[in-house]
Short mmCIF file of all heavy atoms in Angstrom, two decimals:
data_model
loop_
_atom_site.label_atom_id
_atom_site.label_comp_id
_atom_site.label_asym_id
_atom_site.label_seq_id
_atom_site.Cartn_x
_atom_site.Cartn_y
_atom_site.Cartn_z
N THR A 1 45.59 -54.04 5.30
CA THR A 1 44.37 -53.25 5.13
C THR A 1 43.67 -53.15 6.54
O THR A 1 43.23 -51.96 7.00
CB THR A 1 43.44 -53.85 4.14
OG1 THR A 1 43.86 -53.84 2.81
CG2 THR A 1 42.04 -53.14 4.13
N VAL A 2 43.55 -54.21 7.20
CA VAL A 2 42.91 -54.22 8.60
C VAL A 2 43.72 -53.22 9.50
O VAL A 2 42.97 -52.48 10.28
CB VAL A 2 42.80 -55.68 9.05
CG1 VAL A 2 42.57 -55.69 10.72
CG2 VAL A 2 41.81 -56.58 8.39
N GLU A 3 45.11 -53.46 9.45
CA GLU A 3 45.73 -52.53 10.48
C GLU A 3 45.74 -51.14 10.01
O GLU A 3 45.79 -50.35 10.88
CB GLU A 3 47.28 -53.06 10.42
CG GLU A 3 47.50 -54.49 10.88
CD GLU A 3 46.92 -54.75 12.32
OE1 GLU A 3 47.15 -53.80 13.19
OE2 GLU A 3 46.35 -55.82 12.56
N LEU A 4 45.66 -50.81 8.69
CA LEU A 4 45.42 -49.42 8.29
C LEU A 4 44.23 -48.81 8.80
O LEU A 4 44.09 -47.74 9.33
CB LEU A 4 45.58 -49.33 6.72
CG LEU A 4 47.01 -49.46 6.15
CD1 LEU A 4 46.80 -49.71 4.67
CD2 LEU A 4 47.77 -48.30 6.43
N LEU A 5 43.09 -49.60 8.56
CA LEU A 5 41.84 -49.17 9.01
C LEU A 5 41.71 -48.92 10.53
O LEU A 5 41.20 -47.93 11.09
CB LEU A 5 40.68 -50.19 8.59
CG LEU A 5 40.37 -50.42 7.10
CD1 LEU A 5 39.57 -51.56 6.78
CD2 LEU A 5 39.84 -49.12 6.47
N GLU A 6 42.35 -49.88 11.21
CA GLU A 6 42.23 -49.80 12.66
C GLU A 6 43.18 -48.58 13.31
O GLU A 6 43.04 -48.09 14.32
CB GLU A 6 42.70 -51.03 13.36
CG GLU A 6 41.69 -52.10 13.09
CD GLU A 6 41.86 -53.42 13.86
OE1 GLU A 6 43.01 -53.80 14.13
OE2 GLU A 6 40.90 -54.23 13.96
N ALA A 7 44.10 -48.23 12.43
CA ALA A 7 45.03 -47.06 12.62
C ALA A 7 44.42 -45.61 12.27
O ALA A 7 44.98 -44.60 12.57
CB ALA A 7 46.41 -47.20 12.02
N GLY A 8 43.19 -45.75 11.63
CA GLY A 8 42.48 -44.57 11.20
C GLY A 8 42.63 -44.10 9.85
O GLY A 8 42.03 -43.04 9.42
N TYR A 9 43.24 -44.96 8.96
CA TYR A 9 43.33 -44.52 7.58
C TYR A 9 42.12 -44.99 6.81
O TYR A 9 41.39 -45.98 7.12
CB TYR A 9 44.52 -45.21 6.89
CG TYR A 9 45.89 -44.71 7.45
CD1 TYR A 9 46.61 -45.35 8.47
CD2 TYR A 9 46.39 -43.53 6.78
CE1 TYR A 9 47.65 -44.77 8.91
CE2 TYR A 9 47.74 -43.06 7.34
CZ TYR A 9 48.29 -43.73 8.31
OH TYR A 9 49.41 -43.17 8.76
N ASP A 10 41.83 -44.35 5.71
CA ASP A 10 40.86 -44.76 4.63
C ASP A 10 41.63 -45.64 3.63
O ASP A 10 42.80 -45.32 3.50
CB ASP A 10 40.12 -43.63 3.91
CG ASP A 10 39.18 -43.02 4.83
OD1 ASP A 10 38.71 -43.58 5.76
OD2 ASP A 10 38.86 -41.80 4.48
N VAL A 11 41.08 -46.66 3.18
CA VAL A 11 41.78 -47.64 2.26
C VAL A 11 40.90 -47.95 0.99
O VAL A 11 39.67 -48.02 1.07
CB VAL A 11 42.02 -48.90 3.01
CG1 VAL A 11 42.74 -49.95 1.98
CG2 VAL A 11 43.05 -48.77 4.24
N VAL A 12 41.58 -47.96 -0.07
CA VAL A 12 40.89 -48.39 -1.42
C VAL A 12 41.74 -49.57 -1.86
O VAL A 12 43.08 -49.47 -1.83
CB VAL A 12 40.96 -47.30 -2.49
CG1 VAL A 12 40.34 -47.85 -3.79
CG2 VAL A 12 40.03 -46.15 -1.98
N ILE A 13 41.17 -50.62 -2.24
CA ILE A 13 41.85 -51.86 -2.72
C ILE A 13 41.69 -51.95 -4.23
O ILE A 13 40.57 -51.94 -4.65
CB ILE A 13 41.32 -53.13 -1.87
CG1 ILE A 13 41.73 -53.19 -0.59
CG2 ILE A 13 41.81 -54.39 -2.70
CD1 ILE A 13 41.15 -54.32 0.31
N VAL A 14 42.77 -52.37 -4.82
CA VAL A 14 42.69 -52.86 -6.22
C VAL A 14 43.35 -54.30 -6.17
O VAL A 14 44.35 -54.49 -5.63
CB VAL A 14 43.33 -52.05 -7.35
CG1 VAL A 14 42.68 -50.56 -7.35
CG2 VAL A 14 44.76 -51.84 -7.15
N ASP A 15 42.72 -55.12 -6.91
CA ASP A 15 43.28 -56.49 -7.05
C ASP A 15 42.65 -57.22 -8.23
O ASP A 15 41.54 -56.98 -8.43
CB ASP A 15 42.98 -57.39 -5.71
CG ASP A 15 43.88 -58.56 -5.49
OD1 ASP A 15 44.06 -59.39 -6.37
OD2 ASP A 15 44.46 -58.69 -4.37
N ASN A 16 43.51 -58.00 -8.95
CA ASN A 16 42.92 -58.78 -10.12
C ASN A 16 42.38 -60.09 -9.75
O ASN A 16 41.81 -60.86 -10.54
CB ASN A 16 43.93 -58.84 -11.29
CG ASN A 16 45.02 -59.82 -10.84
OD1 ASN A 16 45.16 -60.30 -9.74
ND2 ASN A 16 46.09 -59.87 -11.78
N LEU A 17 42.49 -60.42 -8.44
CA LEU A 17 41.99 -61.72 -7.91
C LEU A 17 42.58 -62.96 -8.59
O LEU A 17 41.95 -64.02 -8.54
CB LEU A 17 40.38 -61.75 -7.96
CG LEU A 17 39.63 -60.64 -7.31
CD1 LEU A 17 38.13 -60.83 -7.47
CD2 LEU A 17 39.80 -60.65 -5.85
N SER A 18 43.75 -62.81 -8.98
CA SER A 18 44.46 -63.99 -9.67
C SER A 18 44.96 -65.04 -8.60
O SER A 18 45.11 -66.12 -8.90
CB SER A 18 45.63 -63.45 -10.53
OG SER A 18 46.58 -62.81 -9.70
N ASN A 19 45.21 -64.47 -7.38
CA ASN A 19 45.65 -65.39 -6.24
C ASN A 19 44.98 -65.05 -5.08
O ASN A 19 45.66 -65.16 -3.86
CB ASN A 19 47.16 -65.26 -6.16
CG ASN A 19 47.67 -66.41 -5.40
OD1 ASN A 19 47.18 -67.52 -5.53
ND2 ASN A 19 48.67 -66.29 -4.59
N SER A 20 43.55 -64.63 -5.03
CA SER A 20 42.92 -64.23 -3.89
C SER A 20 41.40 -64.30 -4.12
O SER A 20 41.03 -64.64 -5.39
CB SER A 20 43.27 -62.89 -3.29
OG SER A 20 42.92 -61.92 -4.37
N GLU A 21 40.57 -64.28 -3.08
CA GLU A 21 39.23 -64.35 -3.35
C GLU A 21 38.58 -63.03 -2.83
O GLU A 21 38.84 -62.39 -1.87
CB GLU A 21 38.73 -65.39 -2.40
CG GLU A 21 39.37 -66.91 -2.71
CD GLU A 21 38.81 -67.44 -4.02
OE1 GLU A 21 37.81 -67.06 -4.49
OE2 GLU A 21 39.46 -68.42 -4.48
N ARG A 22 37.31 -62.68 -3.50
CA ARG A 22 36.62 -61.62 -3.26
C ARG A 22 36.00 -61.75 -1.73
O ARG A 22 35.78 -60.72 -1.13
CB ARG A 22 35.51 -61.41 -4.12
CG ARG A 22 34.78 -60.02 -4.18
CD ARG A 22 33.63 -60.00 -5.04
NE ARG A 22 34.07 -59.90 -6.49
CZ ARG A 22 34.28 -58.77 -7.33
NH1 ARG A 22 33.94 -57.62 -6.73
NH2 ARG A 22 34.61 -58.88 -8.41
N SER A 23 35.85 -62.92 -1.31
CA SER A 23 35.25 -63.22 0.07
C SER A 23 36.12 -62.54 1.14
O SER A 23 35.67 -62.26 2.24
CB SER A 23 35.11 -64.62 0.25
OG SER A 23 36.38 -65.23 0.29
N VAL A 24 37.41 -62.29 0.90
CA VAL A 24 38.35 -61.73 1.87
C VAL A 24 37.82 -60.42 2.26
O VAL A 24 37.90 -59.96 3.52
CB VAL A 24 39.72 -61.55 1.28
CG1 VAL A 24 40.72 -60.74 2.15
CG2 VAL A 24 40.37 -62.90 1.04
N LEU A 25 37.10 -59.60 1.43
CA LEU A 25 36.58 -58.39 1.69
C LEU A 25 35.51 -58.52 2.99
O LEU A 25 35.40 -57.65 3.75
CB LEU A 25 35.89 -57.75 0.54
CG LEU A 25 36.77 -57.39 -0.57
CD1 LEU A 25 36.03 -57.05 -1.84
CD2 LEU A 25 37.65 -56.22 -0.32
N GLY A 26 34.77 -59.62 2.91
CA GLY A 26 33.95 -59.82 4.18
C GLY A 26 34.55 -60.03 5.41
O GLY A 26 34.14 -59.64 6.40
N GLY A 27 35.77 -60.80 5.21
CA GLY A 27 36.54 -60.99 6.48
C GLY A 27 37.09 -59.62 7.13
O GLY A 27 36.99 -59.37 8.28
N ILE A 28 37.59 -58.78 6.19
CA ILE A 28 37.94 -57.46 6.60
C ILE A 28 36.89 -56.63 7.29
O ILE A 28 37.03 -56.11 8.21
CB ILE A 28 38.55 -56.69 5.32
CG1 ILE A 28 39.85 -57.32 4.80
CG2 ILE A 28 38.84 -55.21 5.74
CD1 ILE A 28 40.31 -56.74 3.49
N ARG A 29 35.66 -56.78 6.61
CA ARG A 29 34.51 -56.01 7.17
C ARG A 29 34.07 -56.56 8.57
O ARG A 29 33.88 -55.81 9.50
CB ARG A 29 33.40 -56.14 6.25
CG ARG A 29 32.07 -55.33 6.68
CD ARG A 29 31.11 -55.30 5.50
NE ARG A 29 30.63 -56.60 5.08
CZ ARG A 29 30.85 -57.14 3.92
NH1 ARG A 29 31.62 -56.51 3.11
NH2 ARG A 29 30.54 -58.37 3.70
N LYS A 30 34.19 -57.97 8.78
CA LYS A 30 33.88 -58.51 10.01
C LYS A 30 34.86 -57.98 11.16
O LYS A 30 34.50 -57.78 12.32
CB LYS A 30 33.81 -59.97 10.01
CG LYS A 30 32.70 -60.64 9.34
CD LYS A 30 32.63 -62.20 9.31
CE LYS A 30 31.44 -62.71 8.76
NZ LYS A 30 31.42 -64.17 8.60
N ILE A 31 36.11 -57.84 10.79
CA ILE A 31 37.13 -57.55 11.79
C ILE A 31 37.07 -56.07 12.20
O ILE A 31 37.09 -55.64 13.36
CB ILE A 31 38.47 -57.83 11.33
CG1 ILE A 31 38.73 -59.40 11.15
CG2 ILE A 31 39.54 -57.32 12.18
CD1 ILE A 31 40.03 -59.69 10.27
N THR A 32 36.85 -55.30 11.16
CA THR A 32 37.02 -53.70 11.29
C THR A 32 35.61 -52.99 11.37
O THR A 32 35.49 -51.93 11.83
CB THR A 32 37.77 -53.14 10.25
OG1 THR A 32 37.00 -53.17 8.87
CG2 THR A 32 39.17 -53.72 10.14
N GLY A 33 34.54 -53.71 10.97
CA GLY A 33 33.22 -52.92 10.74
C GLY A 33 33.14 -51.99 9.75
O GLY A 33 32.17 -51.20 9.56
N ARG A 34 34.09 -52.00 8.81
CA ARG A 34 34.13 -51.04 7.68
C ARG A 34 34.15 -51.74 6.36
O ARG A 34 34.78 -52.83 6.22
CB ARG A 34 35.34 -50.12 7.83
CG ARG A 34 35.35 -49.26 9.03
CD ARG A 34 36.59 -48.40 9.28
NE ARG A 34 36.75 -47.39 8.04
CZ ARG A 34 37.82 -46.67 8.10
NH1 ARG A 34 38.69 -46.64 8.92
NH2 ARG A 34 37.87 -45.78 6.94
N THR A 35 33.44 -51.20 5.39
CA THR A 35 33.46 -51.77 4.10
C THR A 35 34.52 -50.95 3.22
O THR A 35 34.45 -49.66 3.18
CB THR A 35 32.01 -51.51 3.42
OG1 THR A 35 31.22 -52.25 4.22
CG2 THR A 35 31.97 -52.09 2.03
N VAL A 36 35.40 -51.65 2.56
CA VAL A 36 36.50 -51.07 1.82
C VAL A 36 36.10 -50.90 0.38
O VAL A 36 35.69 -52.00 -0.20
CB VAL A 36 37.82 -51.77 2.06
CG1 VAL A 36 38.93 -51.21 1.34
CG2 VAL A 36 38.11 -51.81 3.52
N PRO A 37 36.29 -49.83 -0.39
CA PRO A 37 36.02 -49.74 -1.69
C PRO A 37 37.04 -50.80 -2.41
O PRO A 37 38.24 -50.69 -2.24
CB PRO A 37 36.30 -48.32 -2.06
CG PRO A 37 36.11 -47.50 -0.81
CD PRO A 37 36.47 -48.47 0.25
N PHE A 38 36.48 -51.48 -3.38
CA PHE A 38 37.25 -52.50 -4.02
C PHE A 38 37.10 -52.32 -5.51
O PHE A 38 35.89 -52.15 -6.02
CB PHE A 38 36.81 -54.01 -3.69
CG PHE A 38 37.42 -54.93 -4.44
CD1 PHE A 38 38.76 -55.38 -4.29
CD2 PHE A 38 36.66 -55.65 -5.54
CE1 PHE A 38 39.30 -56.32 -5.16
CE2 PHE A 38 37.28 -56.57 -6.30
CZ PHE A 38 38.51 -57.01 -6.13
N HIS A 39 38.22 -52.47 -6.29
CA HIS A 39 38.15 -52.38 -7.68
C HIS A 39 38.85 -53.58 -8.21
O HIS A 39 40.13 -53.70 -8.07
CB HIS A 39 38.69 -51.12 -8.30
CG HIS A 39 37.99 -49.85 -7.80
ND1 HIS A 39 36.96 -49.37 -8.46
CD2 HIS A 39 38.14 -49.15 -6.70
CE1 HIS A 39 36.40 -48.27 -7.71
NE2 HIS A 39 37.19 -48.17 -6.69
N LYS A 40 38.24 -54.45 -9.11
CA LYS A 40 38.92 -55.57 -9.72
C LYS A 40 39.68 -55.06 -10.96
O LYS A 40 39.18 -54.79 -12.11
CB LYS A 40 37.92 -56.61 -10.20
CG LYS A 40 38.73 -57.83 -10.74
CD LYS A 40 37.67 -58.95 -11.18
CE LYS A 40 38.48 -60.06 -11.70
NZ LYS A 40 37.58 -61.17 -12.23
N VAL A 41 41.04 -54.71 -10.65
CA VAL A 41 41.90 -54.27 -11.68
C VAL A 41 43.19 -54.88 -11.69
O VAL A 41 43.68 -55.12 -10.72
CB VAL A 41 41.98 -52.72 -11.39
CG1 VAL A 41 43.21 -52.05 -12.30
CG2 VAL A 41 40.77 -51.84 -11.56
N ASP A 42 43.73 -55.18 -12.83
CA ASP A 42 45.19 -55.65 -12.96
C ASP A 42 46.12 -54.49 -12.95
O ASP A 42 45.88 -53.62 -13.99
CB ASP A 42 45.31 -56.58 -14.11
CG ASP A 42 46.55 -57.32 -14.33
OD1 ASP A 42 47.65 -56.71 -14.00
OD2 ASP A 42 46.55 -58.44 -14.44
N CYS A 43 47.09 -54.46 -12.14
CA CYS A 43 47.94 -53.20 -12.14
C CYS A 43 48.76 -53.11 -13.50
O CYS A 43 49.47 -52.16 -13.74
CB CYS A 43 48.85 -53.28 -11.00
SG CYS A 43 48.04 -53.01 -9.46
N GLY A 44 48.77 -54.22 -14.33
CA GLY A 44 49.42 -54.12 -15.58
C GLY A 44 48.60 -53.44 -16.55
O GLY A 44 49.07 -53.15 -17.74
N ASN A 45 47.33 -53.05 -16.25
CA ASN A 45 46.40 -52.48 -17.17
C ASN A 45 46.51 -50.98 -16.80
O ASN A 45 45.72 -50.47 -15.89
CB ASN A 45 45.06 -52.98 -17.07
CG ASN A 45 44.16 -52.48 -18.28
OD1 ASN A 45 44.14 -51.34 -18.44
ND2 ASN A 45 43.23 -53.27 -18.60
N LEU A 46 47.38 -50.15 -17.45
CA LEU A 46 47.40 -48.72 -17.12
C LEU A 46 46.17 -47.92 -17.33
O LEU A 46 45.84 -47.10 -16.43
CB LEU A 46 48.57 -48.14 -18.09
CG LEU A 46 48.89 -46.71 -17.76
CD1 LEU A 46 49.54 -46.50 -16.42
CD2 LEU A 46 49.88 -46.10 -18.88
N ALA A 47 45.37 -48.12 -18.28
CA ALA A 47 44.24 -47.40 -18.48
C ALA A 47 43.27 -47.59 -17.36
O ALA A 47 42.53 -46.60 -16.88
CB ALA A 47 43.58 -47.74 -19.84
N ARG A 48 42.96 -48.87 -16.97
CA ARG A 48 42.00 -49.09 -15.82
C ARG A 48 42.56 -48.68 -14.60
O ARG A 48 41.83 -48.21 -13.73
CB ARG A 48 41.62 -50.72 -15.79
CG ARG A 48 40.93 -51.10 -17.06
CD ARG A 48 40.27 -52.51 -16.80
NE ARG A 48 39.32 -52.44 -15.73
CZ ARG A 48 38.95 -53.51 -15.00
NH1 ARG A 48 39.44 -54.64 -15.28
NH2 ARG A 48 37.98 -53.28 -14.02
#
């Protein structure tokens, strides 16, 4: 995500946070200066 942002892309993140922390978004923001849209979604849930 950091490398995509620094290359000029827009990024949207989905993650169910089963093996990660929401605080990572703050780290991404500190490095890039950009806030990334985040959705807590399990990719196994087709409707969401």
Side-chain angles (χ1 to χ4, degrees):
T1 296
V2 165
E3 298 301 324
L4 286 166
L5 293 170
E6 293 187 340
Y9 291 93
D10 285 339
V11 177
V12 175
I13 290 174
V14 300
D15 201 304
N16 67 2
L17 300 178
S18 63
N19 195 36
S20 61
E21 303 287 345
R22 194 182 289 265
S23 61
V24 170
L25 298 167
I28 293 170
R29 187 170 57 249
K30 282 184 180 177
I31 296 167
T32 65
R34 294 177 64 181
T35 299
V36 179
F38 169 77
H39 299 272
K40 186 181 177 185
V41 171
D42 189 313
C43 290
N45 187 322
L46 183 63
R48 292 197 62 201

